Amino acid sequence: QSVRIGVGLNTGEACVGNMGSDRRFNYSVIGDAVNIAARIESSCKAVGADCVVSEDTARAAPGVAFLEAGAIPVKGKSVPIRLFALVGDPDYATSAEFQALAETHAALVAAIDNGDRETALARLAACRERAPERLHDIYDRFAERIEAMPQHAPA
């Protein structure tokens, strides 16, 4: 049986160093960016990816292959944090295979955001065709999101 872990990455300022008192201290990191990273890490299973990053982190690494994975609400923030799944290195990011997947994936996300269930289902099928097997968990989670979308009654 294999062990799977999730990694959550965020970019931002933090306080790093020995913290505590003379009697007890340890090396630690604290701050808003750290709290958000912890929230992102806890969303890995729901996203279906081993490594999930914030939008700030994805923007800071433009040559890496990321796919948008949804958003999570964060306590104390008025706007949810957009999440991205790390799906490949710079070589994969520049491949024709990933470029085609990323385009179809963006259309899938847009259809979900617009509440267009039928288009989302079609885009999901196209993503599944293009995606390597290692990304199937991500698309299983998208299928669950689409299934939860309201179905419009025929007019």
Side-chain angles (χ1 to χ4, degrees), residues 23-136:
R23 295 172 53 132
R24 181 168 182 216
F25 69 91
N26 64 337
Y27 192 80
S28 189
V29 58
I30 61 172
D32 191 46
V34 177
N35 296 338
I36 291 172
R39 290 292 311 274
I40 293 169
E41 181 274 329
S42 68
S43 72
C44 287
K45 188 173 183 178
V47 167
D50 295 333
C51 185
V52 179
V53 306
S54 67
E55 184 173 12
D56 289 341
T57 301
R59 228 185 340 243
V64 180
F66 294 109
L67 293 173
E68 187 170 347
I72 57 169
V74 177
K75 187 176 181 178
K77 301 285 182 191
S78 59
V79 177
I81 302 293
R82 288 178 57 205
L83 302 178
F84 292 80
L86 172 64
V87 297
D89 63 12
D91 288 337
Y92 182 61
T94 58
S95 71
E97 174 189 2
F98 176 72
Q99 295 299 315
L101 175 61
E103 186 176 312
T104 305
H105 184 90
L108 166 63
V109 171
I112 291 172
D113 288 348
N114 292 330
D116 185 346
R117 191 174 195 276
E118 295 309 313
T119 301
L121 285 168
R123 297 299 180 261
L124 175 64
C127 285
R128 286 186 189 270
E129 282 181 26
R130 288 191 164 106
E133 186 176 336
R134 62 189 170 78
L135 301 183
H136 286 190

